[in-house]
Amino acid sequence: MHSQPSAAVAGEGQTPDDIVLREQQRLTDIYAAVAETARRNKTRLADHDAYTAELEKERLASVSWREKNSLTEKLLEHSHFDPARYLTEFAMVESPYFGIIGIADVDRKIGSKEYLIGKQGLVSHDNRALIVDWRKAAVSRFYYDYEVGEDYLETINGTEREGVITRRDTVDIVKCRLRRLESGGDVFELTDGQWVVNDRQCHSTSTIKAENQDHRMVDIVSLISPEQFRMITEEAADGCTLITGGAGSGKTVVSLHRLSCLQFNHPDRFPPRRCLVLMFNKVLRNYVRQTSADLLGSTRVDTFSAWALSAITALTGRVVKPVTKDDFSVQKKSSRLASLLARYVRETEEPEPFQDLWRFYGQRYVLEAMFAREAEQESFLAEMRTRYREKRETVSFADLNVLLRLCQLREKDGPVRDALDYYAHIIVDEAQDLGLLELEAILAATDERNSITVSADSKQKILSWVDEAGFDIFHRQLKDIGLSSETLSVPYRCPDEILALAARISNRGAGQPGRHSGTLEYHLATDEAGALTTVRRLVEKLVAEDPKSLTAVICKKKTDEKMLYQALCGVPGLHGPGELTFEPGVAVTIAHQVKGVEFANVILYDPNSKDFRNSAIDRNLLYVCITRACQRLDIVYWRELAAGLA
């Protein structure tokens, strides 16, 4: 090991070299324990299989039916003790733990003790806990809820524990190698083969992404705040939990980690096949899937539309291929249809699901709710009668919520249970942009305990065709069946400078400050050509300074997206047209695609008052755009800026 001299000392009588050497030795010991556990498990499996083979050989060789029966009983009994059923491989070898917590307990039998906190528990051959899974809240709470020097009083395994926290360190192990250690006020980092000591600073998710050269949602279990940890480890699993908070406060993170805790602590009730995660769009779904594989195993992560299609197929036996274009999306997303659909089901019977849909749309009270003018009602009715007569089965994406809810109401507790198996838990992200029928269909797919986590932020509602009243009605419905509301107040993504701008745009109020400072700059060009030149200059500068980072150039219109891509052709790391991946480089995208994701740098292209009108939806969309930036926001414009930006 090479080290660089430093005056920093992280412990009395200990030099930085001592601390790093001790932690490297600890890591070596852990890997030795992992290897020994794997060896012992392999031996136990081999011994079990060998004895099984011996019994089967004896049974085949036996000529006595009594002896055969006796050997068969032995085989059955032996199979009950198959170690493969309870021995699990330690999968987190490349990064076995991320935290070290030290305690001094008043109980002399416990005394001074240190715990390693990781993403998977590890027990030694003599039954000592070497690594504690972060989801074991009784112990991991020491790491998440306390600081060094604080007194604790906790109940662990039914016994009250009292003492003081003596150590709380964060460890970064990459590919089996100790790379970083935060201890006290010091940060020990391996840089160019040498250990250096720096002042402790916020280790942001954007920094982690740049180091890993992967800008998808990162595994942030070591960064969970006490506020987030309390929500994640909430014992109550029944009923609904509504999580609100501003951009970058961790709503999605808390939802996913909460489900991970439920699955870990109650595996029989929450197996992956009976859990579902619904995201706002394909971009956000893809963004989340990377992390969810580690957190949630094979739990399905999808968009509402994709899930609805599979549910409709399961309920009707028909494969539906919806069309995109629909001139009546606004009317079909109206919250008024929910009660009318329930009325229609009570008053009518129609065995064919698609015929049922056209017939529902043709009811006079439905037409009056969808259209104000009689001419529009009659035109739509004529089309529905044609579809009914010709038994058409072509639907649009806007029809899916109505069709699925109609199938649910018709089938009630019979085939719905067989088709959907009533999910034990569902996560609904960005719920403010889902219609009432969509939200009711999701809730109806949960079992009788209604275990569901909903995250929402009214300031990030960006779909104008979704009825705003729908979420308010759904909120009241959740209260009727049992609702716990939680608000995340600390923003983690954006620098203070960008948070201040976001507060002005959203009229949200300044709230709590962020965790780091960043850069916010305006660039006024004389015309469109000058603005494009400025964007290219900024992009080239950012790529040259940090080729591992991810920069997003965000605009409002598709035509601008194409123009920006052409202006940036040839820039190193430019992603393909229409792509929004999370590799390092530069992505050009439109505002409606970036909800829920984040980038190190954002360049907002010409957010003018014509494209971003002074309406609630456009201000929300502007708020979403600027709060995607983790480090830097550049606003390039040549026309009058939208309200709130100037």
Side-chain angles (χ1 to χ4, degrees):
M1 181 198 72
H2 301 283
S3 65
Q4 184 168 320
S6 171
V9 178
E12 185 177 350
Q14 292 182 321
T15 67
D17 282 355
D18 293 334
I19 293 170
V20 171
L21 283 170
R22 185 182 65 190
E23 293 311 320
Q24 287 178 324
Q25 184 58 52
R26 187 201 300 268
L27 183 58
T28 299
D29 293 342
I30 286 294
Y31 280 127
V34 170
E36 176 62 16
T37 300
R39 186 191 67 78
R40 287 174 178 268
N41 289 349
K42 185 177 180 180
T43 299
R44 294 176 69 179
L45 290 168
D47 290 345
H48 179 274
D49 292 344
Y51 186 54
T52 299
E54 182 182 340
L55 289 175
E56 288 177 342
K57 183 178 179 181
E58 289 181 14
R59 187 177 63 170
L60 287 172
S62 176
V63 295
S64 166
W65 65 268
R66 288 189 176 88
E67 187 178 14
K68 280 185 180 291
N69 286 346
S70 176
L71 290 168
T72 299
E73 289 178 2
K74 285 185 178 181
L75 276 168
L76 288 173
E77 183 180 358
H78 183 58
S79 67
H80 293 157
F81 299 98
D82 185 354
R85 298 167 64 177
Y86 57 86
L87 292 179
T88 56
E89 180 184 1
F90 187 76
M92 302 299 171
V93 176
E94 289 197 351
S95 182
Y97 55 93
F98 57 81
I100 305 170
I101 193 75
I103 65 170
D105 203 277
V106 297
D107 187 339
R108 292 183 179 180
K109 293 181 180 179
I110 299 171
S112 295
K113 189 176 182 66
E114 288 187 352
Y115 297 98
L116 302 182
I117 310 296
K119 291 177 286 183
Q120 182 183 358
L122 177 66
V123 179
S124 68
H125 66 275
D126 55 354
N127 210 33
R128 290 181 296 111
L130 301 177
I131 300 175
V132 178
D133 193 297
W134 72 272
R135 291 165 292 191
K136 283 188 173 292
V139 175
S140 63
R141 183 171 288 111
F142 289 138
Y143 179 79
Y144 289 110
D145 275 4
Y146 294 94
E147 295 294 338
V148 174
E150 287 188 337
D151 295 328
Y152 63 82
L153 179 61
E154 297 287 346
T155 302
I156 300 179
N157 297 328
T159 302
E160 283 197 353
R161 298 269 292 272
E162 184 179 356
V164 64
I165 302 297
T166 59
R167 182 179 186 184
R168 186 195 179 281
D169 292 355
T170 299
V171 181
D172 195 9
I173 301 168
V174 180
K175 296 182 179 179
C176 307
R177 190 180 187 188
L178 183 66
R179 188 178 67 179
R180 191 173 191 272
L181 171 68
E182 294 184 14
S183 181
D186 296 323
V187 177
F188 304 83
E189 291 187 279
L190 184 62
T191 304
D192 297 328
Q194 291 188 324
W195 282 95
V196 297
V197 185
N198 303 308
D199 291 335
R200 186 167 185 168
Q201 298 177 347
C202 175
H203 201 44
S204 67
T205 57
S206 60
T207 303
I208 296 172
K209 291 176 180 183
E211 290 173 352
N212 295 339
Q213 299 189 51
D214 187 341
H215 292 265
R216 287 170 288 190
M217 181 176 283
V218 297
D219 184 354
I220 53 80
V221 289
S222 63
L223 306 178
I224 294 171
S225 70
E227 178 188 28
Q228 293 172 332
F229 182 73
R230 179 180 58 80
M231 296 184 194
I232 288 168
T233 56
E234 173 63 43
E235 289 292 331
D238 294 352
C240 311
T241 299
L242 173 62
I243 301 175
T244 58
S249 59
K251 297 183 295 297
T252 303
V253 164
V254 169
S255 299
L256 295 174
H257 286 74
R258 180 169 184 263
L259 178 53
S260 180
C261 269
L262 292 176
Q263 291 181 334
F264 178 80
N265 292 298
H266 309 282
D268 293 335
R269 181 179 167 188
F270 299 102
R273 65 177 179 80
R274 295 199 59 227
C275 298
L276 176 67
V277 178
L278 295 177
M279 308 307 295
F280 174 67
N281 57 23
K282 290 181 180 178
V283 172
L284 191 51
R285 177 199 65 187
N286 296 342
Y287 185 66
V288 166
R289 275 183 175 173
Q290 163 86 7
T291 297
S292 66
D294 288 338
L295 279 175
L296 308 176
S298 58
T299 300
R300 181 176 181 179
V301 179
D302 225 325
T303 62
F304 173 83
S305 295
W307 169 72
L309 283 171
S310 63
I312 290 170
T313 298
L315 290 168
T316 66
R318 293 169 169 85
V319 177
V320 181
K321 296 183 178 180
V323 297
T324 303
K325 181 175 174 54
D326 192 325
D327 295 330
F328 306 106
S329 293
V330 173
Q331 290 85 351
K332 292 174 181 179
K333 296 287 186 178
S334 171
S335 59
R336 299 178 65 184
L337 294 190
S339 60
L340 300 182
L341 194 62
R343 171 185 171 182
Y344 169 75
V345 169
R346 289 194 305 268
E347 296 176 351
T348 64
E349 290 186 8
E350 177 62 63
E352 287 296 320
F354 295 94
Q355 299 289 83
D356 210 7
L357 180 64
W358 313 139
R359 187 177 172 186
F360 166 70
Y361 284 145
Q363 300 300 304
R364 180 56 58 184
Y365 52 82
V366 176
L367 293 168
E368 291 173 352
M370 292 177 68
F371 305 100
R373 295 188 299 175
E374 186 174 345
E376 292 176 317
Q377 296 175 19
E378 294 305 318
S379 175
F380 188 75
L381 176 60
E383 173 63 22
M384 294 306 103
R385 284 175 172 170
T386 300
R387 294 188 182 193
Y388 186 89
R389 183 176 63 254
E390 296 177 358
K391 298 183 178 180
R392 294 186 190 175
E393 295 188 358
T394 301
V395 297
S396 71
F397 279 100
D399 290 316
L400 295 182
N401 60 337
V402 186
L403 180 57
L404 175 56
R405 191 74 187 108
L406 183 55
C407 290
Q408 289 177 325
L409 291 170
R410 287 291 188 201
E411 300 295 345
K412 297 182 180 177
D413 291 336
V416 172
R417 178 178 291 278
D418 297 332
L420 301 181
D421 197 23
Y422 279 137
Y423 292 99
H425 191 86
I426 299 179
I427 290 175
V428 187
D429 200 49
E430 305 288 356
Q432 74 279 348
D433 274 312
L434 289 175
L436 179 57
L437 280 173
E438 292 168 320
L439 293 167
E440 288 187 345
I442 295 168
L443 182 60
T446 61
D447 63 22
E448 68 279 359
R449 297 185 180 183
N450 301 126
S451 183
I452 184 171
T453 301
V454 178
S455 68
D457 178 12
S458 61
K459 299 297 184 182
Q460 296 189 66
K461 183 184 184 303
I462 63 172
L463 299 184
S464 58
W465 58 86
V466 174
D467 184 357
E468 188 173 0
F471 184 76
D472 294 333
I473 296 171
F474 184 65
H475 191 187
R476 292 195 293 271
Q477 292 176 357
L478 294 183
K479 287 182 178 179
D480 291 338
I481 61 176
L483 175 65
S484 171
S485 296
E486 304 283 358
T487 300
L488 290 164
S489 57
V490 180
Y492 293 91
R493 177 190 302 143
C494 298
D496 294 337
E497 298 84 349
I498 297 173
L499 285 174
L501 177 61
R504 192 165 75 232
I505 290 171
S506 65
N507 295 319
R508 185 188 290 272
Q512 295 196 34
R515 304 183 73 197
H516 60 290
S517 61
T519 302
L520 169 61
E521 291 187 1
Y522 288 80
H523 308 267
L524 174 62
T526 56
D527 53 22
E528 181 178 84
L532 293 173
T533 300
T534 300
V535 170
R536 181 172 183 116
R537 174 177 57 78
L538 284 170
V539 167
E540 289 176 336
K541 177 175 179 289
L542 292 171
V543 170
E545 288 177 349
D546 188 0
K548 295 180 181 179
S549 67
L550 176 59
T551 297
V553 182
I554 304 175
C555 57
K556 176 74 182 290
K557 299 178 294 188
K558 277 283 187 181
T559 52
D560 285 344
E561 182 185 29
K562 294 178 181 178
M563 182 173 60
L564 283 163
Y565 181 78
Q566 292 174 353
L568 294 174
C569 276
V571 171
L574 180 65
H575 296 180
E579 291 182 7
L580 188 50
T581 63
F582 302 100
E583 301 299 319
V586 183
V588 180
T589 186
I590 59 173
H592 283 89
Q593 289 293 320
V594 298
K595 174 101 74 85
V597 299
E598 63 184 36
F599 310 91
N601 313 303
V602 167
I603 299 174
L604 185 55
Y605 176 75
D606 193 34
N608 61 80
S609 57
K610 182 180 178 181
D611 289 343
F612 289 92
R613 297 166 296 172
N614 194 14
S615 65
I617 288 294
D618 276 354
R619 289 180 77 97
N620 288 351
L621 188 58
L622 196 57
Y623 173 82
V624 167
C625 289
I626 68 172
T627 54
R628 301 309 97 194
C630 297
Q631 297 174 1
R632 181 184 180 102
L633 172 65
D634 289 281
I635 298 174
V636 179
Y637 68 105
W638 79 92
R639 290 180 283 190
E640 180 187 7
L641 284 169
L645 286 178

